[in-house]
């Protein structure tokens, strides 16, 4: 597995324990960020400098997190991504929308969503190691990205068809996408997609939690931030499906190896 540098991972003493323990650690840390930024978002004008001042005083360890304006050409509320330098991952971005250098009042929920991604990344170096491995091996090609963006990480028309048909279509599309690939690549790509869905599920869960808190405080929040997106994306069902496909691939491979050893 590719090596993850200290700039993009929390030390072991902070994140040791189960996946659930790390998720709880991230949620608790996110709560601290939220409480610190409530007074900031009550100001008349909020700048990235205001956010950075609070942010880096609360981050438990010094890490490379670049808080920057969101590129206006991308039709997104916010973003978080890796910073790649010399075929390695050197840091993480947290990208926020700006209007004339000022953060919109209703962007607080966006910050909480994207910060969940940043903290989850720092708390799960195994995810970063797999991402780096796939990046270095040029596995994030157009076919992979189209499969993930259009089939896996996609809001589903639940009212137009049955959930079973949706999941069957995802399964068939995934198996078609994986055809012809080496077994190791298939497993790595499926694990990577599952990790990403798990992080998105957590980010949307935190988003909804803080949207409700902001609404209770009579602070600006949009109606779309009050939607339970887990149901729209079918996160639980898709995560389980990816696990099942991976399990079946591993089982078949083990049976092949067992037959070879019998000869």
């Amino acid at each position: 597995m590719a090596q993850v540098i200290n700039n993009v991972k929390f030390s072991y003493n902070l994140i040791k324990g189960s996946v659930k323990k790390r998720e709880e650690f991230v949620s608790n840390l996110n709560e601290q960020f939220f409480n610190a930024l409530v007074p900031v978002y009550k100001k008349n004008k909020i700048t990235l400098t205001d956010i950075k001042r609070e942010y880096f005083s609360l981050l438990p360890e010094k890490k490379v997190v670049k808080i920057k304006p969101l590129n206006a050409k991308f039709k997104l509320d916010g973003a978080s991504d890796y910073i790649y330098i010399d075929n390695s991952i050197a840091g993480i971005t947290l990208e926020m929308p700006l209007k004339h250098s000022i953060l919109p009042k209703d962007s607080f929920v966006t910050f909480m969503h994207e910060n969940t991604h940043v903290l989850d990344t720092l708390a799960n170096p195994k995810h970063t190691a797999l991402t780096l491995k796939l990046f270095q091996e040029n596995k994030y090609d157009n076919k992979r990205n189209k499969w993930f963006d259009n089939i896996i990480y996609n809001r589903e028309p639940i009212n137009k068809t049955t959930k079973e048909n949706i999941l069957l279509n995802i399964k068939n599309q995934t198996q078609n996408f994986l055809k012809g690939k080496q077994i190791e690549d298939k497993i790595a790509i499926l694990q990577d997609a599952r990790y990403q869905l798990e992080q998105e599920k957590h980010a949307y869960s935190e988003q909804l939690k803080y949207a409700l808190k902001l609404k209770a405080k009579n602070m600006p929040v949009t109606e779309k931030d009050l939607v339970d997106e887990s149901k729209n994306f079918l996160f639980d069902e898709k995560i389980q499906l990816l696990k099942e496909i991976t399990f079946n691939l591993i089982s078949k491979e083990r049976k092949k190896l067992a037959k070879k050893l019998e000869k």
Side-chain angles (χ1 to χ4, degrees):
M1 192 65 72
Q3 185 175 4
V4 178
I5 63 174
N6 290 332
N7 284 345
V8 288
K9 66 178 179 180
F10 284 133
S11 58
Y12 179 69
N13 65 306
L14 287 180
I15 57 171
K16 61 184 176 183
S18 64
V19 172
K20 186 176 180 180
K21 288 280 188 183
R22 291 196 296 275
E23 187 173 298
E24 289 172 354
F25 168 80
V26 167
S27 292
N28 291 336
L29 188 53
N30 226 11
E31 184 82 19
Q32 294 178 42
F33 282 105
F34 177 77
N35 291 333
L37 289 174
V38 165
V40 174
Y41 265 91
K42 285 185 175 180
K43 292 170 58 177
N44 289 330
K45 293 183 178 180
I46 315 137
T47 67
L48 283 184
T49 300
D50 297 323
I51 300 293
K52 291 175 185 178
R53 186 182 299 113
E54 296 295 335
Y55 193 87
F56 293 108
S57 68
L58 285 171
L59 203 62
E61 295 176 335
K62 187 177 180 181
K63 303 298 169 188
V64 177
V65 180
K66 186 175 182 181
I67 300 175
K68 56 184 279 191
L70 178 70
N71 193 323
K73 74 177 182 179
F74 298 121
K75 295 180 179 179
L76 300 169
D77 294 329
S80 175
D81 201 357
Y82 289 110
I83 299 169
Y84 293 93
I85 298 177
D86 296 330
N87 212 31
S88 181
I89 292 175
I92 312 165
T93 67
L94 196 166
E95 303 171 40
M96 293 290 292
L98 294 181
K99 292 181 180 178
H100 307 294
S101 301
I102 302 299
L103 283 158
K105 287 283 188 179
D106 62 3
S107 68
F108 200 169
V109 171
T110 297
F111 174 86
M112 298 310 300
H113 179 110
E114 300 307 334
N115 193 46
T116 306
H117 282 306
V118 171
L119 299 179
D120 267 335
T121 298
L122 293 171
N124 291 280
K126 181 171 70 173
H127 298 186
T128 302
L130 181 54
T131 297
L132 181 56
K133 175 181 181 293
L134 292 174
F135 171 75
Q136 291 174 339
E137 295 175 359
N138 297 313
K139 302 301 181 185
Y140 292 120
D141 56 18
N142 286 334
K143 285 186 178 180
R144 181 270 170 199
N145 293 337
K146 284 181 179 179
W147 164 73
F148 184 81
D149 293 338
N150 299 330
I151 305 300
I152 302 300
Y153 182 41
N154 187 47
R155 287 182 178 85
E156 304 299 342
I158 305 297
N159 296 328
K160 294 180 181 179
T161 185
T162 65
K163 188 185 296 185
E164 291 77 11
N165 286 341
I166 291 170
L167 293 172
L168 180 60
N169 178 59
I170 293 169
K171 182 179 179 180
N172 291 337
Q173 295 270 17
T174 298
Q175 289 173 334
N176 287 335
F177 163 68
L178 293 173
K179 277 181 182 177
K181 298 184 185 300
Q182 297 292 320
I183 182 68
E184 295 83 1
D185 292 339
K186 290 180 181 180
I187 292 170
I189 288 167
L190 289 169
Q191 284 180 327
D192 178 61
R194 176 167 62 85
Y195 290 157
Q196 289 192 49
L197 284 191
E198 287 170 348
Q199 288 201 9
E200 289 295 346
K201 176 188 172 183
H202 191 206
Y204 275 111
S205 173
E206 292 285 284
Q207 171 179 311
L208 179 58
K209 177 172 73 176
Y210 289 110
L212 292 170
K213 285 191 175 190
L214 289 170
K215 185 178 181 181
K217 291 177 180 289
N218 293 316
M219 293 178 68
V221 60
T222 64
E223 286 301 316
K224 68 178 181 178
D225 289 332
L226 294 165
V227 174
D228 183 359
E229 290 286 20
S230 287
K231 295 178 181 178
N232 294 330
F233 280 97
L234 297 179
F235 284 133
D236 288 333
E237 294 84 352
K238 289 176 181 176
I239 289 167
Q240 183 58 35
L241 178 61
L242 291 172
K243 285 181 178 179
E244 290 173 2
I245 296 173
T246 305
F247 176 80
N248 290 336
L249 284 171
I250 293 172
S251 296
K252 287 180 182 179
E253 190 64 14
R254 284 176 177 169
K255 287 178 182 178
K256 285 181 184 178
L257 290 173
K259 286 183 180 179
K260 287 182 180 179
L261 291 173
E262 288 173 1
K263 292 180 180 179

